[in-house]
Every structure is written in structure tokens, then in C-alpha cells.
Amino acid sequence: MSLRLNIIVAACENQGIGINGELPWRLREEMKYFSRMTKATTSSGKQNAVLMGRKTWESIPAKFRPLPGRVNVVISSRAKDPGAEFNGSTVCGSFKEGIQELQNRTDEVESVWAIGGSSIYEIALESEHLHRIYLTRILKNFECDTFLPSFDPKKFQIVTDPAVPDEMQQEGDIIYKYEVYEKVK
Ligand SMILES: NC(=O)c1ccc[n+]([C@@H]2O[C@H](COP(=O)([O-])OP(=O)(O)OC[C@H]3O[C@@H](n4cnc5c(N)ncnc54)[C@H](OP(=O)(O)O)[C@@H]3O)[C@@H](O)[C@H]2O)c1
């Protein structure tokens, strides 16, 4: 059975997604949205998987990882390093290996969410399995050192998803909106 891959990412106006190994902003409701979207399944008895780079894994406070209710897959060249701290996750040596691992687990895994960072998004954007990009557009500039790779808007169409609020969101002085892009077949 074919694997369905979605990207979920929050980016500010300069396409920034991170700084110093952390998020550049604190958006509690947006975090809840991330959690809700990546957990939601249609078939009971299945979970989704979150696929992430090693630095994104490390950016999650130890007490909150693995992300609960989801199969956590971390991509790292340190997959076989006994000193590495990957408790509660499956570690794979490449994105392709991660996808293969999850393809073998479609009886327990419904969808795969690529949750960052930059290099994982870059590969996911080119993946034959890519279905949608769930992009939170933050309408503000933040200083960042990590960025969302650009994607060709001609290859995607904006769609609505009943699970995604379509009105503008605001937390403190930060205004943002949720967008969903679907790959054109
Ligand atoms: N705004 C958002 O939505 C969002 C989402 C996620 C993350 N972030 C932010 O982004 C930053 C982290 O992202 P990042 O881009 O710096 O790092 P990352 O992609 O999370 O992790 C990079 C690491 O992943 C491993 N990796 C990636 N591609 C690989 C491949 N093809 N083969 C083998 N290993 C591979 C390597 O680990 P090894 O060095 O162990 O080999 C690499 O050093 C943080 O600031 C985080 O807060 C933001």
C-alpha cells in the first residue's frame, strides 16, 4: 500500500523556521494545532508517524519526547552510535530508510508527517509520497538560522481541510494563518 506523506511546518515572513536549535517564537495554540493534526487518524487502532531530523528531535525537551500518540522516527547518521540518546524512537540512517521502515508498518501507521528540519523538508518536498504541505504562515519577521526550502507553487494547489481553521489566528502580537497545499497529480 502506498504511503501518504504530509509536511507540517510553521514559517515566518523570511521563511525562517528555527534559531539556535529552537523555535523563534512561542505559540501555544499553534503547538496544539501541530499536535492535533499529526495525531489525527481515520482508522482506529492506527497511529501516524512523525519523521524528523536529529536536531529537531533534540529540540524537543527530553520530558516531551518521544512525541506521544505517534510513531517517532529520527533520521541520523548516528543511528548505530550506542551513546546517542534516541529513547522511544526508531532511528534510521537516511530519509529513504525511514520511509522504507514505515512502509513495512502500514498495518499500524496511517500517515507520515515530516516535521523538520530543513534537510528533511527538502527531501520530503521531492518525495513521490508527498501529499500535502500544512504551512502555518507567521506574518512577522524573526531572526532565524534555519529556513524552509522553497517549493514550486505550480506543483501545488491550495485546498481546504475541515480540520484546519481558515480564519486568521492571533497569539499576543503575532498574527498567523494556516494554509494547506496539495500536490497536483
Ligand atoms: N518551524 C517549524 O515548523 C520547525 C519544525 C522543525 C524544526 N524546526 C527548527 O529547525 C531547527 C532544526 O532543524 P535543522 O534543519 O537544523 O536540523 P534537522 O533537519 O532537524 O536535523 C539535521 C540532522 O538530521 C540528520 N539528517 C538529516 N538529513 C539526513 C540524511 N539525509 N541522512 C542522514 N542524516 C540526516 C543529521 O543528523 P546527524 O548529524 O546525527 O547525522 C543532521 O545533522 C531547530 O531550530 C528547530 O527548532 C522548526
Side-chain angles (χ1 to χ4, degrees):
M1 205 172 104
S2 176
L3 200 77
R4 180 164 278 197
L5 172 70
N6 294 318
I7 284 174
I8 188 159
V9 59
C12 62
E13 280 180 343
N14 58 7
Q15 308 307 317
I17 62 166
I19 185 145
N20 299 328
E22 296 183 354
L23 293 176
W25 44 77
R26 290 275 169 271
L27 294 172
R28 281 173 64 88
E29 293 304 315
E30 208 277 332
M31 295 277 271
K32 284 189 204 161
Y33 167 80
F34 166 86
S35 191
R36 177 166 62 80
M37 295 304 293
T38 54
K39 275 183 185 165
T41 54
T42 50
S43 19
S44 58
K46 283 197 183 188
Q47 288 189 333
N48 293 326
V50 283
L51 186 69
M52 70 196 98
R54 190 257 308 161
K55 292 181 185 171
T56 295
W57 168 260
E58 287 177 351
S59 76
I60 304 167
K63 62 180 174 185
F64 295 127
R65 65 187 198 219
L67 294 178
R70 289 147 287 185
V71 173
N72 285 231
V73 177
V74 182
I75 309 301
S76 171
S77 59
R78 302 181 195 172
K80 296 190 172 63
D81 179 348
E85 169 49 77
F86 294 121
N87 285 348
S89 71
T90 300
V91 191
C92 295
S94 68
F95 185 91
K96 196 173 165 195
E97 238 181 71
I99 292 289
Q100 272 163 1
E101 160 79 24
L102 292 166
Q103 238 162 353
N104 294 334
R105 293 168 69 173
T106 45
D107 51 338
E108 53 166 318
V109 172
E110 190 172 285
S111 298
V112 180
W113 290 85
I115 65 164
S118 213
S119 50
I120 299 303
Y121 290 140
E122 195 167 355
I123 305 172
L125 280 166
E126 295 303 318
S127 170
E128 58 179 309
H129 301 290
L130 181 62
H131 175 52
R132 286 179 170 178
I133 304 168
Y134 286 77
L135 170 61
T136 301
R137 240 184 234 286
I138 296 173
L139 306 179
K140 192 173 170 173
N141 256 322
F142 287 84
E143 190 191 345
C144 293
D145 59 17
T146 314
F147 297 87
L148 175 66
S150 60
F151 58 91
D152 183 351
K154 290 198 290 295
K155 291 186 182 164
F156 296 89
Q157 58 187 0
I158 290 194
V159 294
T160 54
D161 178 330
V164 177
D166 54 10
E167 63 277 9
M168 285 285 181
Q169 308 291 309
Q170 180 158 13
E171 289 188 62
D173 65 345
I174 304 177
I175 296 170
Y176 59 95
K177 61 179 175 181
Y178 298 121
E179 291 181 347
V180 186
Y181 292 81
E182 189 167 289
K183 200 164 145 192
V184 178
K185 294 203 175 69

